[in-house]
């Protein structure tokens, strides 16, 4: 029965003009999700169980943030398109760490950049900046 869900979901994605690689990614994630939740019918899985699944992926399986995002997107889209059920898992998206650039470089940092450049043309370009 789970195989039908994957095939039906792939058909929906094709009708929505998703790229083949996107369809492959979505169906792969969906197959994994359905395999691990095989003891439940997908339509009977609660919001809490879905949250627990994502938390389990992160904490026990140590998946990366991009995999986590892809899995959450797959689950949300699957439930929306297949069962017309809205699943809110946005709070489980990994928070992006903010990498701020420095507003200015110190004299020491500028000297280090200039000294690390051995090509005279590159050094000339850097000194004009």
């Amino acid at each position: 029965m789970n195989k039908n869900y994957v095939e039906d979901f792939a058909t929906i994605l094709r009708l929505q003009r998703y790229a083949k690689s996107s369809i492959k990614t979505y169906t792969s994630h969906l197959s994994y999700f359905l395999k691990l939740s095989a003891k439940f019918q997908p339509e009977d899985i609660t919001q809490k169980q879905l949250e627990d699944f994502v938390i389990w992926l992160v904490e026990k399986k140590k998946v990366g943030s991009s995999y986590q995002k892809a899995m959450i997107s797959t689950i949300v889209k699957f439930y929306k398109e297949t069962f017309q059920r809205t699943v809110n898992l946005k709070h489980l998206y990994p928070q992006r760490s903010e990498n701020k650039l420095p507003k200015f470089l110190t004299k020491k940092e500028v000297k280090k950049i200039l000294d690390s450049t051995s090509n005279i043309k590159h050094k000339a370009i850097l000194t004009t900046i």
Side-chain angles (χ1 to χ4, degrees), residues 23-35:
I23 294 170
K24 183 179 175 184
T25 302
Y26 271 110
T27 55
S28 170
H29 284 78
L30 181 60
S31 295
Y32 184 68
F33 168 70
L34 292 174
K35 184 177 91 175

PDB file of all heavy atoms in Angstrom, residues 23-35:
ATOM      1  N   ILE A  23      11.624  15.298  -7.990  1.00  0.00           N
ATOM      2  CA  ILE A  23      10.703  14.178  -7.778  1.00  0.00           C
ATOM      3  C   ILE A  23      11.446  13.007  -7.143  1.00  0.00           C
ATOM      4  O   ILE A  23      10.952  12.374  -6.210  1.00  0.00           O
ATOM      5  CB  ILE A  23      10.036  13.761  -9.102  1.00  0.00           C
ATOM      6  CG1 ILE A  23       9.122  14.886  -9.600  1.00  0.00           C
ATOM      7  CG2 ILE A  23       9.250  12.465  -8.942  1.00  0.00           C
ATOM      8  CD1 ILE A  23       8.596  14.692 -11.003  1.00  0.00           C
ATOM      9  N   LYS A  24      12.646  12.758  -7.631  1.00  0.00           N
ATOM     10  CA  LYS A  24      13.457  11.664  -7.070  1.00  0.00           C
ATOM     11  C   LYS A  24      13.754  11.914  -5.593  1.00  0.00           C
ATOM     12  O   LYS A  24      13.656  10.998  -4.758  1.00  0.00           O
ATOM     13  CB  LYS A  24      14.763  11.546  -7.861  1.00  0.00           C
ATOM     14  CG  LYS A  24      15.649  10.422  -7.427  1.00  0.00           C
ATOM     15  CD  LYS A  24      16.911  10.361  -8.272  1.00  0.00           C
ATOM     16  CE  LYS A  24      17.852   9.298  -7.756  1.00  0.00           C
ATOM     17  NZ  LYS A  24      19.123   9.280  -8.479  1.00  0.00           N
ATOM     18  N   THR A  25      14.106  13.153  -5.257  1.00  0.00           N
ATOM     19  CA  THR A  25      14.403  13.496  -3.863  1.00  0.00           C
ATOM     20  C   THR A  25      13.162  13.353  -2.989  1.00  0.00           C
ATOM     21  O   THR A  25      13.203  12.733  -1.921  1.00  0.00           O
ATOM     22  CB  THR A  25      14.948  14.934  -3.774  1.00  0.00           C
ATOM     23  OG1 THR A  25      16.109  15.033  -4.591  1.00  0.00           O
ATOM     24  CG2 THR A  25      15.286  15.315  -2.343  1.00  0.00           C
ATOM     25  N   TYR A  26      12.042  13.934  -3.443  1.00  0.00           N
ATOM     26  CA  TYR A  26      10.798  13.850  -2.678  1.00  0.00           C
ATOM     27  C   TYR A  26      10.381  12.396  -2.464  1.00  0.00           C
ATOM     28  O   TYR A  26      10.027  11.999  -1.347  1.00  0.00           O
ATOM     29  CB  TYR A  26       9.669  14.598  -3.397  1.00  0.00           C
ATOM     30  CG  TYR A  26       9.552  16.059  -3.056  1.00  0.00           C
ATOM     31  CD1 TYR A  26       9.888  17.044  -3.981  1.00  0.00           C
ATOM     32  CD2 TYR A  26       9.068  16.475  -1.824  1.00  0.00           C
ATOM     33  CE1 TYR A  26       9.761  18.391  -3.683  1.00  0.00           C
ATOM     34  CE2 TYR A  26       8.927  17.818  -1.509  1.00  0.00           C
ATOM     35  CZ  TYR A  26       9.280  18.771  -2.445  1.00  0.00           C
ATOM     36  OH  TYR A  26       9.142  20.099  -2.131  1.00  0.00           O
ATOM     37  N   THR A  27      10.404  11.586  -3.520  1.00  0.00           N
ATOM     38  CA  THR A  27       9.941  10.200  -3.385  1.00  0.00           C
ATOM     39  C   THR A  27      10.896   9.370  -2.526  1.00  0.00           C
ATOM     40  O   THR A  27      10.445   8.491  -1.789  1.00  0.00           O
ATOM     41  CB  THR A  27       9.744   9.536  -4.766  1.00  0.00           C
ATOM     42  OG1 THR A  27      10.944   9.639  -5.523  1.00  0.00           O
ATOM     43  CG2 THR A  27       8.584  10.168  -5.521  1.00  0.00           C
ATOM     44  N   SER A  28      12.170   9.667  -2.603  1.00  0.00           N
ATOM     45  CA  SER A  28      13.142   8.963  -1.755  1.00  0.00           C
ATOM     46  C   SER A  28      12.873   9.261  -0.279  1.00  0.00           C
ATOM     47  O   SER A  28      12.853   8.342   0.556  1.00  0.00           O
ATOM     48  CB  SER A  28      14.552   9.402  -2.135  1.00  0.00           C
ATOM     49  OG  SER A  28      15.492   8.933  -1.206  1.00  0.00           O
ATOM     50  N   HIS A  29      12.661  10.529   0.032  1.00  0.00           N
ATOM     51  CA  HIS A  29      12.382  10.903   1.423  1.00  0.00           C
ATOM     52  C   HIS A  29      11.047  10.314   1.883  1.00  0.00           C
ATOM     53  O   HIS A  29      10.929   9.841   3.018  1.00  0.00           O
ATOM     54  CB  HIS A  29      12.367  12.424   1.572  1.00  0.00           C
ATOM     55  CG  HIS A  29      13.726  13.028   1.562  1.00  0.00           C
ATOM     56  ND1 HIS A  29      14.442  13.228   0.412  1.00  0.00           N
ATOM     57  CD2 HIS A  29      14.521  13.480   2.564  1.00  0.00           C
ATOM     58  CE1 HIS A  29      15.602  13.773   0.700  1.00  0.00           C
ATOM     59  NE2 HIS A  29      15.685  13.925   1.996  1.00  0.00           N
ATOM     60  N   LEU A  30      10.060  10.335   0.994  1.00  0.00           N
ATOM     61  CA  LEU A  30       8.752   9.792   1.353  1.00  0.00           C
ATOM     62  C   LEU A  30       8.842   8.285   1.599  1.00  0.00           C
ATOM     63  O   LEU A  30       8.258   7.771   2.566  1.00  0.00           O
ATOM     64  CB  LEU A  30       7.718  10.095   0.269  1.00  0.00           C
ATOM     65  CG  LEU A  30       6.306   9.592   0.555  1.00  0.00           C
ATOM     66  CD1 LEU A  30       5.749  10.209   1.842  1.00  0.00           C
ATOM     67  CD2 LEU A  30       5.392   9.877  -0.618  1.00  0.00           C
ATOM     68  N   SER A  31       9.576   7.574   0.764  1.00  0.00           N
ATOM     69  CA  SER A  31       9.740   6.126   0.944  1.00  0.00           C
ATOM     70  C   SER A  31      10.373   5.824   2.297  1.00  0.00           C
ATOM     71  O   SER A  31       9.936   4.902   3.010  1.00  0.00           O
ATOM     72  CB  SER A  31      10.615   5.539  -0.158  1.00  0.00           C
ATOM     73  OG  SER A  31       9.987   5.663  -1.393  1.00  0.00           O
ATOM     74  N   TYR A  32      11.397   6.591   2.652  1.00  0.00           N
ATOM     75  CA  TYR A  32      12.070   6.405   3.937  1.00  0.00           C
ATOM     76  C   TYR A  32      11.101   6.661   5.091  1.00  0.00           C
ATOM     77  O   TYR A  32      11.020   5.878   6.044  1.00  0.00           O
ATOM     78  CB  TYR A  32      13.277   7.336   4.019  1.00  0.00           C
ATOM     79  CG  TYR A  32      14.114   7.156   5.260  1.00  0.00           C
ATOM     80  CD1 TYR A  32      14.846   6.008   5.482  1.00  0.00           C
ATOM     81  CD2 TYR A  32      14.179   8.171   6.218  1.00  0.00           C
ATOM     82  CE1 TYR A  32      15.622   5.846   6.621  1.00  0.00           C
ATOM     83  CE2 TYR A  32      14.950   8.023   7.365  1.00  0.00           C
ATOM     84  CZ  TYR A  32      15.663   6.864   7.553  1.00  0.00           C
ATOM     85  OH  TYR A  32      16.417   6.717   8.677  1.00  0.00           O
ATOM     86  N   PHE A  33      10.344   7.742   4.988  1.00  0.00           N
ATOM     87  CA  PHE A  33       9.364   8.081   6.030  1.00  0.00           C
ATOM     88  C   PHE A  33       8.317   6.980   6.168  1.00  0.00           C
ATOM     89  O   PHE A  33       8.008   6.538   7.277  1.00  0.00           O
ATOM     90  CB  PHE A  33       8.704   9.426   5.712  1.00  0.00           C
ATOM     91  CG  PHE A  33       7.492   9.722   6.554  1.00  0.00           C
ATOM     92  CD1 PHE A  33       7.621  10.011   7.900  1.00  0.00           C
ATOM     93  CD2 PHE A  33       6.222   9.695   6.002  1.00  0.00           C
ATOM     94  CE1 PHE A  33       6.511  10.281   8.688  1.00  0.00           C
ATOM     95  CE2 PHE A  33       5.109   9.959   6.773  1.00  0.00           C
ATOM     96  CZ  PHE A  33       5.256  10.249   8.117  1.00  0.00           C
ATOM     97  N   LEU A  34       7.776   6.520   5.047  1.00  0.00           N
ATOM     98  CA  LEU A  34       6.733   5.496   5.090  1.00  0.00           C
ATOM     99  C   LEU A  34       7.278   4.158   5.591  1.00  0.00           C
ATOM    100  O   LEU A  34       6.572   3.417   6.284  1.00  0.00           O
ATOM    101  CB  LEU A  34       6.094   5.330   3.708  1.00  0.00           C
ATOM    102  CG  LEU A  34       5.270   6.524   3.221  1.00  0.00           C
ATOM    103  CD1 LEU A  34       4.814   6.305   1.786  1.00  0.00           C
ATOM    104  CD2 LEU A  34       4.087   6.800   4.132  1.00  0.00           C
ATOM    105  N   LYS A  35       8.527   3.866   5.250  1.00  0.00           N
ATOM    106  CA  LYS A  35       9.147   2.621   5.720  1.00  0.00           C
ATOM    107  C   LYS A  35       9.296   2.638   7.236  1.00  0.00           C
ATOM    108  O   LYS A  35       9.002   1.644   7.912  1.00  0.00           O
ATOM    109  CB  LYS A  35      10.507   2.444   5.061  1.00  0.00           C
ATOM    110  CG  LYS A  35      11.202   1.137   5.407  1.00  0.00           C
ATOM    111  CD  LYS A  35      12.511   0.987   4.665  1.00  0.00           C
ATOM    112  CE  LYS A  35      13.605   1.562   5.528  1.00  0.00           C
ATOM    113  NZ  LYS A  35      14.941   1.389   5.011  1.00  0.00           N
TER     114      LYS A  35
END
